[in-house]
Amino acid sequence: CPTSGMCVTCVEGCIGMCEIGKSAYRGHEVIYPQPFGIITTASQKAYPVDLAHFNIMGTAVGAAGIEADSDKAIFPNVDLETRLGHDKGIKLRLPIVIPGLGSTNIASQNWEGLAIGSAIAGTPLTIGENVCGMDVESKIENGRVVHSTDLERRVKLYQEWQRDGYGAIVVQANVEDGRLGVLEYAIEKLGVEVVELKWGQGAKDIGGEVKVKSLEKAQLLKRRGYVVLPDPLDPARVEEFGKGVFTEFERHSRVGMVNEEDFLESVSQLRKAGAKYISLKTGAYRPADLARAVKFSSMAKIDYLTIDAAGGGTGMSPWRMMNEWGV
Ligand code: SF4
């Protein structure tokens, strides 16, 4: 039943493969999609309005982008190139921007294909949140990242395969990335020209959870400023973990609190740090927030605004958010 998510007849003895059934006996373990790290996920909800409701309405009269001449308006002459940015300096061979793919295993393990493919195709690719913070090889001095093997690998792979200046590697920042100075590091040390600020975590009001199976890594993340549950620095929890009372930790990110002054200040700081282009990623928030995003973007004169949908992702969003959030 699309309203309740239950079978029309819920029968005694069923092992409960539905979301409600699993939630009843696995509790919060099934808040997030499983198996973590090797999936991308999509909501099954039929939204009242979604992108599928838009169709292209062509015309039999004339041509756009090329002369209305049957010998010229032929398939090999199709040109989808476009430009982004205040000076139209970001060149795209195709009008596609790949949004933030962050620290999750699914993005990390498939980075070669993503980076090389998008660089060859001439489309911008965005490195999402928490890459430096989750990288055990990151070097952090005075609370600021000065080296990240994983971020460097992701940026350089794209840059090596870029052709004729098309596309761009974009680095995004959430609250923790901001505190670690990830964008400044990417600009100053890795030659990144496009950076992205983010409203919300995962462009939603969520914690952006990942599971951590190692005590040492959980402790490292806690020391780096993440919210880690249960507390891996609490001796009582450490003892429980050692005895197998629980087998994994949860790492959560914080949700940013948007206001005009801070947003304008962040943009200004990034420009001073050398950012050539700045974008904003917002989520499927209520209409007033969308208006706010457009207004603030105009005030700060940023280069482009990305509006996230809510119905899927790399597995860090709870099912409830994918099904019940946004339009
Ligand atoms: S418990 Fe079983 S029968 Fe009941 S709604 Fe879930 S899947 Fe259907």
Side-chain angles (χ1 to χ4, degrees), residues 262-291:
D262 289 351
F263 180 71
L264 296 178
E265 176 60 21
S266 300
V267 172
S268 162
Q269 288 298 332
L270 289 171
R271 288 208 176 103
K272 277 188 202 143
K276 275 175 100 170
Y277 303 98
I278 299 173
S279 73
L280 169 65
K281 164 98 165 268
T282 188
Y285 299 110
R286 58 186 62 171
D289 280 20
L290 179 57

Side-chain angles (χ1 to χ4, degrees), residues 102-103 127-134 144 171-184 195-204 206-210 224-227 251-257 266 270 281 316:
S103 62
I127 300 172
E129 305 142 315
N130 296 317
V131 171
C132 294
M134 291 294 288
R144 312 284 283 180
V171 178
Q172 184 186 77
N174 66 357
V175 171
E176 283 79 9
D177 294 317
R179 291 180 182 176
L180 288 170
V182 167
L183 298 186
E184 289 82 354
V195 292
E196 183 163 275
L197 293 167
K198 189 157 193 176
W199 284 5
Q201 160 62 44
K204 306 175 188 76
I206 58 169
E209 180 191 295
V210 294
R224 285 182 179 175
Y226 285 101
V227 177
R251 185 235 65 195
H252 295 268
S253 295
R254 292 170 181 81
V255 181
M257 299 292 152
S266 300
L270 289 171
K281 164 98 165 268
M316 294 168 80

Side-chain angles (χ1 to χ4, degrees), residues 5-12 14-22:
M6 294 176 71
C7 297
V8 176
T9 52
C10 177
V11 62
E12 182 187 342
C14 173
I15 60 167
M17 287 307 291
C18 63
E19 196 177 294
I20 297 167
K22 282 206 291 188

